Amino acid sequence: MERCTATTEQIVQKLLHELSLPHDLGSIQFNSSASIGIAQFPTHGTSAPELIKNADAAMYAAKLAGRNQYSFYNDQMRQQAIARSNMEFDLQVADRDNQFNLAYQPIVRLADRQIYGFETLLRWQHPLRGELKPDSFLAIAEDNGMISSIDQWVMHSACQQASLWRQQHGQFSFKISVNMSCRQFLQPNLVQDIQSLLAKYQLESSQLILEITEAMAMQNIGQSIRVMYELRELGILLSLDDFGTGYSSLTYLKKLPLNILKIEQSFVHDLGVETDNALIKSIIDIGRNMDLLILAEGIEQQHQFELMTKLGCQLGQGYFFSPPLNSTDIVLT
Ligand code: C2E
Ligand code: MG
Ligand code: MG
């Protein structure tokens, strides 16, 4: 048994390594990773369906452990698989019964603290568990494909709200910033769909900001650059979310047609430590040299606001200015 486990581990490690190597698809370099779940006969099941089901549960545990990992099945996973399947069912009900809503967090110009725009943040009003934030359910929705329906709803609702604000305040010139999922970003009709939505709600394309992450852009860098140029061509603004947490490759940063660079919250929270200040200063300088607007996420305190302003950041977001709000709590003047 011991020897068998060691061999299994060696095989999966080799598989993970091979699968993580970049693949050349013509002119495009494609990066991928795998998550592997392992169930062994007879310890984890005595029939093929049972083994496959348990290997599947182990695979989700591997994904949760950060992807590019493997996991052996254990009994705790059975409980997690049940919780997951309950969540999947609840998500379908949520979609059907309109349990989702959007919160809007102001993005502020640091120079005068005036509102530049609003980031839309997804919320789920679960009938039993109360308000749920995206980190507790989006990964499951991405895995089972429900994300497509949620994405559509988010994009639609964000544009509808912007249009409503525009009707109420003729001079509405704020931006609406929408977080994209990986699947949505690589969906073939993305550009046409967004174009039709903008037309439907009579919005200027420059009012819409789409937020992507480095990981999303890097999944298929060739297609990402192409799609981003098409979106830019339409006049839509592109923002790189959570900059500093992923690859943070300057080579790719130069290739992506971006407008805004969002510095990840942890940098802002660590402000004050001299080396971090120097790091943030160089990120801001590089971004500004590339003609990007620099936005600091997660500003919670006065000194963070003052320091980010001093370091040359133009935009900010965080509890210091405002938490995410219901649309009804936003009074535009
Ligand atoms: P994100 O886009 O980086 O959003 C910023 C997160 O930081 C939000 O968490 C926001 O509520 C929180 N935040 C804002 N100000 C502060 C602050 O001062 N301090 C701290 N500690 N946190 C602050 P939230 O709403 O839980 O969203 C988490 C992530 O879920 C988002 O990160 C985004 O990646 C994703 N997400 C949110 N809405 C959507 C959506 O509609 N579609 C997709 N695909 N992803 C979404
Ligand atoms: Mg965001
Ligand atoms: Mg962010």
Side-chain angles (χ1 to χ4, degrees):
M1 191 66 203
E2 279 300 303
R3 251 185 56 217
C4 171
T5 304
T7 311
T8 309
E9 287 194 311
Q10 282 165 0
I11 294 169
V12 290
Q13 272 165 358
K14 188 152 193 299
L15 271 172
L16 285 178
H17 172 72
E18 292 294 326
L19 289 168
S20 69
L21 299 174
H23 316 286
D24 279 323
L25 301 176
S27 58
I28 298 167
Q29 202 181 57
F30 189 74
N31 293 292
S32 64
S33 64
S35 304
I36 300 180
I38 307 156
Q40 290 176 312
F41 174 88
T43 330
H44 304 141
T46 51
S47 68
E50 192 184 3
L51 283 164
I52 290 169
K53 186 166 67 74
N54 291 343
D56 203 42
M59 181 196 68
Y60 281 114
K63 278 190 181 186
L64 280 179
R67 303 195 180 233
N68 207 32
Q69 308 267 344
Y70 65 90
S71 215
F72 283 88
Y73 178 75
N74 64 43
D75 218 35
Q76 199 191 348
M77 286 172 194
R78 207 172 65 85
Q79 301 304 328
Q80 284 164 351
I82 293 170
R84 187 191 153 81
S85 117
N86 288 342
M87 180 67 110
E88 285 183 334
F89 178 78
D90 287 358
L91 270 171
Q92 273 166 13
V93 175
D95 200 30
R96 189 196 64 201
D97 294 355
N98 301 320
Q99 291 171 5
F100 295 119
N101 59 61
L102 288 180
Y104 298 84
Q105 186 175 37
I107 300 171
V108 170
R109 280 195 207 94
L110 295 184
D112 55 9
R113 289 182 64 167
Q114 293 300 302
I115 292 179
Y116 169 81
F118 295 91
E119 178 175 9
T120 61
L121 294 161
L122 182 63
R123 299 289 179 260
W124 175 7
Q125 207 54 48
H126 191 285
L128 301 174
R129 298 169 63 192
E131 184 180 270
L132 299 182
K133 293 205 174 151
D135 287 344
S136 64
F137 61 88
L138 267 193
I140 293 180
E142 294 216 13
D143 277 342
N144 75 1
M146 274 203 63
I147 190 75
S148 301
S149 163
I150 297 176
D151 285 336
Q152 270 189 10
W153 180 85
V154 168
M155 193 63 83
H156 195 283
S157 306
C159 290
Q160 191 175 37
Q161 183 61 59
S163 164
L164 202 71
W165 275 329
R166 196 180 178 156
Q167 281 164 31
Q168 290 164 352
H169 309 269
Q171 285 300 309
F172 182 80
S173 58
F174 306 112
K175 318 276 184 202
I176 285 283
S177 199
V178 180
N179 290 286
M180 304 210 83
S181 76
C182 209
R183 194 183 283 239
Q184 184 179 25
F185 182 57
L186 296 177
Q187 179 226 321
N189 295 331
L190 175 74
V191 179
Q192 294 92 313
D193 287 354
I194 289 183
Q195 211 168 4
S196 335
L197 262 186
L198 290 173
K200 177 174 177 186
Y201 289 109
Q202 297 183 321
L203 292 176
E204 301 287 337
S205 49
S206 61
Q207 277 188 275
L208 181 65
I209 305 174
L210 298 179
E211 297 195 12
I212 61 158
T213 61
E214 288 170 87
M216 281 162 62
M218 301 290 275
Q219 260 214 350
N220 184 338
I221 188 74
Q223 186 177 346
S224 299
I225 293 175
R226 211 171 40 248
V227 169
M228 287 172 78
Y229 270 104
E230 282 181 44
L231 291 166
R232 257 282 283 265
E233 192 93 326
L234 282 183
I236 289 163
L237 304 182
L238 297 166
S239 179
L240 195 64
D241 207 352
D242 305 335
F243 184 74
T245 50
Y247 303 83
S248 305
S249 154
L250 295 178
T251 320
Y252 284 117
L253 195 59
K254 237 172 62 187
K255 286 188 181 169
L256 302 176
L258 292 163
N259 303 91
I260 299 171
L261 196 65
K262 294 187 89 168
I263 299 178
E264 214 271 327
Q265 307 196 2
S266 58
F267 288 104
V268 179
H269 297 165
D270 290 345
L271 272 178
V273 183
E274 221 165 89
T275 46
D276 285 319
N277 291 2
L279 186 65
I280 294 190
K281 174 82 181 112
S282 35
I283 293 176
I284 293 172
D285 288 346
I286 290 169
R288 290 194 66 149
N289 282 333
M290 293 165 77
D291 267 344
L292 301 177
L293 279 171
I294 314 295
L295 190 160
E297 296 189 79
I299 296 182
E300 294 180 355
Q301 293 165 22
Q302 172 95 24
H303 78 92
Q304 295 167 338
F305 158 56
E306 285 168 1
L307 200 47
M308 290 313 289
T309 312
K310 203 170 120 201
L311 291 176
C313 217
Q314 300 104 318
L315 300 171
Q317 208 180 330
Y319 301 155
F320 176 69
F321 305 110
S322 166
L325 302 166
N326 282 330
S327 61
T328 46
D329 293 333
I330 295 173
V331 184
L332 297 170
T333 49

